[in-house]
Amino acid sequence: MTQSDTRPDIVLVMTDQHAARVLGCAGDETASTPALDRLAAQGTRFENCYCPSPLCVPSRMAFLTGLEPHETGVLTNDDFLPSDIPTIAHALALSGYDCRLVGRMHFSGPDQLHGFAQRPIGDVGPTWPGAGPPDIGPLTQGRGNRGPELLHSGAGETSYQAYDHAVTEQALRTLQDLRTQRADTGRPFFVLISLFCPHPPYIARRDDYDRFADIVLPPRLPPPEIEHPAIAAWRRAGGIMDVPPDATAKSRIAYYGLVAMIDRLVGRIDDAIKEDANTVSIYCSDHGECLGERGLWWKSVFYDESAKVPLIIRAPGFSEGTVDHRVTSLIDLSATLLGWANAPVLPSHTGRDLRQLESSTRHISSSYYGGLMNIELPPVRHRMIRQGSLKLSWYDGMRPQLFDLEEDPDELRDLHDDPSHFDIQAEMVQQLFRRWNPSRLAAWQNSKRARTALIREWVQKGSIEEPSRWRDPNPGRNRYED
């Protein structure tokens, strides 16, 4: 590259499980997110951005490849992306970008780069299929059955927090090195900085916890009197049919504390780049968080609390202080990154460049196939499609759900049996099944489970050395105070 290369540097911060609504700039008066609010004031916040899957690994791999989970074969957290599927890192590097990954990306299997040139800090957790979550001592009590995890929410310190601080420090060093390099060579760079929080456990440092202890309100939405059978099955499997009010309150307080911590870290990163007018700055998350609304926790459902993600972009061509209401996806974000770089289009990429996307009625989809770590659910095949204000959620072997989010933003009135919506619902079902075959996916899932049973058992016995894993230099920091 030469000094004449005017393409922008791109810095993307991705977090894990940040609910789109828990932002001051999104109207949450309790959330403390001054850095993200500032980024939104200087750029554009996308109000209706969805994840490709409400689960970490499928969502992240879809973002990186521009392919939906059923196209990558990464349906659950136990699946890994084949190395012969190209990612945006491959395409950006081919176009001349120096691509670095700092922190969590939830790559499973031996390939821990997938096109990135360097990765100075790897994942905080196990990187092999079948492995369990990281052991953080007594704080992991109850994680074999996720419901009891909520009983241990509160104030304290975990390796996850330490990991995010370590990632941030490394990211600042990486940015400094790359900016020096660009001044010398003119070569643009792409840095993906990926943090772990506000992912559970819901444990925040004492100062952050106490800050929100008296101001976080209870969930707005109670569990419905008549619950969809797919959602009821998920709640039973997660052990969250009857979460004590005290556990709900502590979990929500700690979550807001974790979001505040993340905001401070994002602010440090943004301070390092905001003066460079030729740097694109992006914030997003891989999926949302139910946070007790409707009696649900974590992710894995298609309600907006789980399926929507925050997306904020500060870049030339994106208006300052604007809220974009178009229905979009993280797959559109990856298409936009390639567009900035004039990079090769990835094979079969289904996303649209957000700078050129005009239609507000296009279809976007999200899918879920079970496999949330440590919850014993059989493989499922659920898919959601959003078109304009309508959202259709289709559940294999069960009745679908249909909501009009313009008239019913809380998704309380299921229009599935409303005759006035039969025609549009039929059109959306037809679109949902285009290039998606649940019967074929069922056969593939069953075949894979049978084929990999021995490998899963072997991994669970701890017979391997995990590659590229961040290990806490001070595991004694993990403590639960409240």
Side-chain angles (χ1 to χ4, degrees), residues 64-353:
L64 285 173
T65 63
L67 304 174
E68 295 187 57
H70 67 276
E71 296 172 310
T72 63
V74 182
L75 306 183
T76 74
N77 279 355
D78 282 345
D79 298 319
F80 62 87
L81 182 68
S83 294
D84 62 355
I85 296 181
T87 70
I88 56 173
H90 291 107
L92 290 168
L94 189 61
S95 72
Y97 272 69
D98 189 339
C99 299
R100 309 286 181 93
L101 170 60
V102 185
R104 179 176 178 79
M105 205 57 206
H106 228 315
F107 289 145
S108 295
D111 189 345
Q112 292 293 303
L113 291 176
H114 286 286
F116 288 93
Q118 294 183 29
R119 189 182 186 190
I121 294 183
D123 274 292
V124 65
T127 56
W128 289 89
D135 181 10
I136 54 173
L139 299 180
T140 57
Q141 184 177 355
R143 291 201 73 164
N145 183 4
R146 291 293 300 274
E149 176 184 284
L150 301 174
L151 302 179
H152 298 272
S153 299
E157 191 167 1
T158 69
S159 294
Y160 300 156
Q161 300 159 11
Y163 173 79
D164 283 348
H165 282 80
V167 168
T168 301
E169 295 296 337
Q170 178 59 57
L172 294 173
R173 291 192 293 270
T174 297
L175 286 169
Q176 183 177 13
D177 291 344
L178 287 171
R179 294 179 73 176
T180 300
Q181 173 185 284
R182 172 133 201 193
D184 292 338
T185 68
R187 186 183 185 187
F189 57 81
F190 167 55
V191 182
L192 175 48
I193 304 163
S194 193
L195 305 175
F196 188 94
C197 294
H199 189 287
Y202 306 105
I203 296 173
R205 291 180 176 179
R206 170 59 69 182
D207 288 348
D208 287 325
Y209 184 86
D210 288 348
R211 179 180 179 186
F212 294 95
D214 297 323
I215 61 175
V216 174
L217 299 175
R220 287 191 312 111
L221 305 174
E225 294 182 5
I226 302 177
E227 194 166 44
H228 190 282
I231 306 301
W234 161 240
R235 286 216 297 143
R236 286 193 299 271
I240 51 175
M241 297 301 290
D242 188 19
V243 178
D246 183 59
T248 293
K250 288 183 176 181
S251 297
R252 286 173 60 86
I253 292 167
Y255 184 84
Y256 274 81
L258 290 172
V259 169
M261 182 197 78
I262 284 292
D263 185 80
R264 290 195 299 273
L265 299 180
V266 171
R268 293 187 61 197
I269 295 168
D270 192 53
D271 285 342
I273 62 176
K274 66 181 180 180
E275 295 180 359
D276 188 345
N278 199 35
T279 298
V280 169
S281 182
I282 307 167
Y283 177 81
C284 69
S285 195
D286 57 359
H287 51 72
E289 160 66 59
C290 293
L291 206 59
E293 301 293 343
R294 311 171 206 274
L296 297 171
W297 291 90
W298 315 302
K299 53 266 190 178
S300 304
V301 296
F302 295 134
Y303 291 117
D304 272 6
E305 293 86 9
S306 166
K308 264 191 182 181
V309 295
L311 174 60
I312 305 172
I313 299 176
R314 184 181 64 215
F318 287 85
S319 301
E320 293 186 5
T322 298
V323 178
D324 192 312
H325 299 285
R326 293 175 298 176
V327 176
T328 59
S329 165
L330 288 179
I331 291 179
D332 295 325
L333 174 60
S334 60
T336 310
L337 300 182
L338 299 180
W340 269 311
N342 296 319
V345 177
L346 292 174
S348 302
H349 196 300
T350 57
R352 298 279 299 278
D353 191 327

Side-chain angles (χ1 to χ4, degrees), residues 387-400:
Q387 175 184 333
S389 66
L390 295 177
K391 179 199 283 189
L392 175 75
S393 298
W394 189 90
Y395 305 97
D396 194 7
M398 306 178 197
R399 62 176 176 83

Side-chain angles (χ1 to χ4, degrees), residues 50 221 294 302-305 391 393 401 403-405 408-414:
Y50 287 86
L221 305 174
R294 311 171 206 274
F302 295 134
Y303 291 117
D304 272 6
E305 293 86 9
K391 179 199 283 189
S393 298
Q401 289 179 301
F403 298 104
D404 186 333
L405 274 68
D408 176 28
D410 287 332
E411 302 173 77
L412 300 177
R413 299 188 297 275
D414 188 351

Side-chain angles (χ1 to χ4, degrees), residues 8-23:
D9 299 321
I10 304 171
V11 179
L12 167 60
V13 178
M14 176 179 281
T15 55
D16 196 317
Q17 208 153 317
H18 187 176
R21 69 193 183 282
V22 184
L23 285 167

